[in-house]
Amino acid sequence: MYELIQTGEKSWYIKNPANVGVYDLGGGEVCLIDAGNDKEAGRKILKKVTEAGWRVSCIINTHSNADHVGGNQFIQSRTGCRVLSTDIENAIARHPELESSLLYGGYPYAELRNKFLLAKPTESTEEIESALPPGLEIIKLPGHYLDMIGIMADDGTCFLADAIFSADIITKYHIIFIYDVAKFLATLEMLERLKAKIFIPAHNEATTDIKELIAVNRAKVHEIAALICDICAAPKSFERILKEVFDHYGLTMDHNQYVLVGSTIKSYLSWLHDSGRLNIEFIDNEMLWSRVKEC
């Protein structure tokens, strides 16, 4: 863990639960792509970079989930580096309480105010469009989160954030967090055409071919959609649908899983409704979802 692995003439990544990219800007300065999940991860990342003889000039946050921005505060406080991302992801990095509020759908109760859902706030951020270091290109990767991006380096290394997940993660957890299912699928389609020498997903080993991973991710989305349609053969409330999804996959519900999986299932319900496959009814002051015959 926290091994520095070279992937191109100017690019490396630090292997950890959410891989962190390193791009050599020249003159002893580097740009990090993401920053780990908390202060301790930030400390280890900065130590690894410093031992290699580099200074952190900036951090690019691909998106503002806590496991990608949790190390921002520590690294920025120690180095004075800039933190760059898109406008909405910057806002959540500066005000991380927005993430747990978004997932829960209201003010998060005490058990949801934990480091997995609530990163330490980033002191200052900049809009990436006007501050992107030379040699790097932004790739739009919507779907997993609000305005997630990837980064293509000029040496052919492509940092893919959470656009695709490993087969092991999908097999173990089944439900990967998705904010917008339609955009997630569109991003997978775009990735099939994307050319790079090597791809670095945040939650998978670096690879030169992502087609198999794309297929696994896409198949699981359609599997879950079909499951929800089957569950909704008779009208069901959201809570009932969520329980049946957990039971089907043998998942264990806790506070974090309730909001992460629950928010994702709500996104599936929205997608299935908007695409004409689920109906919504209000009966006896209860919101019920039911399958359209053609689902």
Side-chain angles (χ1 to χ4, degrees):
M1 198 64 70
Y2 294 94
E3 178 185 0
L4 184 64
I5 301 170
Q6 188 163 11
T7 57
E9 182 184 354
K10 303 177 186 178
S11 298
W12 290 255
Y13 75 101
I14 298 173
K15 189 175 180 181
N16 74 101
N19 293 327
V20 171
V22 181
Y23 179 77
D24 187 356
L25 297 170
E29 295 190 342
V30 295
C31 172
L32 300 181
I33 293 90
D34 290 327
N37 66 341
D38 59 12
K39 177 180 179 179
E40 188 56 33
R43 187 190 308 277
K44 292 176 180 178
I45 291 162
L46 185 58
K47 182 175 185 289
K48 183 64 66 173
V49 168
T50 302
E51 287 175 348
W54 291 318
R55 300 184 305 277
V56 177
S57 172
C58 65
I59 299 169
I60 293 174
N61 289 147
T62 59
H63 61 301
S64 56
N65 284 161
D67 59 334
H68 292 257
V69 303
N72 281 357
Q73 187 186 84
F74 178 82
I75 297 172
Q76 189 174 52
S77 69
R78 293 298 178 93
T79 66
C81 69
R82 301 175 297 151
V83 174
L84 318 174
S85 194
T86 57
D87 183 53
I88 193 166
E89 304 292 352
N90 277 337
I92 296 175
R94 293 194 309 273
H95 305 283
E97 65 274 10
L98 293 172
E99 178 176 10
S100 51
S101 298
L102 172 68
L103 293 173
Y104 179 57
Y107 181 74
Y109 57 87
E111 287 83 353
L112 298 180
R113 301 195 300 272
N114 62 68
K115 73 174 186 177
F116 298 105
L117 302 176
L118 186 64
K120 295 294 184 182
T122 303
E123 182 177 348
S124 64
T125 61
E126 297 180 32
E127 176 65 36
I128 192 168
E129 295 283 357
S130 59
L132 185 68
L136 300 177
E137 177 186 351
I138 298 167
I139 304 169
K140 292 289 188 179
L141 299 173
H144 172 73
Y145 210 44
L146 296 165
D147 195 16
M148 189 174 73
I149 59 172
I151 296 294
M152 179 73 78
D154 57 3
D155 63 5
T157 300
C158 184
F159 300 94
L160 285 179
D162 289 359
I164 49 176
F165 286 79
S166 73
D168 288 344
I169 287 175
I170 290 173
T171 299
K172 181 177 181 179
Y173 296 106
H174 298 283
I175 315 291
I176 57 173
F177 179 80
I178 298 176
Y179 174 72
D180 185 322
V181 179
K183 288 183 178 179
F184 184 82
L185 290 172
T187 290
L188 293 182
E189 185 176 343
M190 180 276 291
L191 289 177
E192 287 184 315
R193 304 187 299 271
L194 188 65
K195 304 296 183 184
K197 290 181 180 178
I198 190 165
F199 299 93
I200 305 174
H203 302 285
N204 193 74
E205 302 285 344
T207 179
T208 57
D209 188 350
I210 56 173
K211 286 186 172 54
E212 184 175 343
L213 276 180
I214 291 169
V216 169
N217 279 256
R218 180 186 288 121
K220 181 58 73 171
V221 168
H222 291 300
E223 175 188 304
I224 293 166
L227 172 64
I228 292 171
C229 283
D230 287 345
I231 290 171
C232 294
K236 300 278 176 63
S237 68
F238 162 72
E239 293 287 349
R240 186 67 202 182
I241 294 165
L242 185 62
K243 171 180 168 46
E244 293 195 25
V245 169
F246 267 82
D247 290 348
H248 177 83
Y249 286 119
L251 304 175
T252 301
M253 191 177 291
D254 59 22
H255 299 289
N256 289 347
Q257 289 302 305
Y258 175 79
V259 292
L260 289 170
V261 176
S263 178
T264 300
I265 295 303
K266 285 181 178 178
S267 295
Y268 273 93
L269 291 170
S270 295
W271 175 56
L272 290 168
H273 171 69
D274 291 351
S275 58
R277 287 176 278 179
L278 290 183
N279 286 323
I280 300 172
E281 296 177 281
F282 291 91
I283 300 175
D284 293 331
N285 289 329
E286 188 176 22
M287 183 180 188
L288 301 177
W289 302 80
S290 59
R291 182 177 69 190
V292 175
K293 289 184 179 180
E294 293 77 16
C295 183

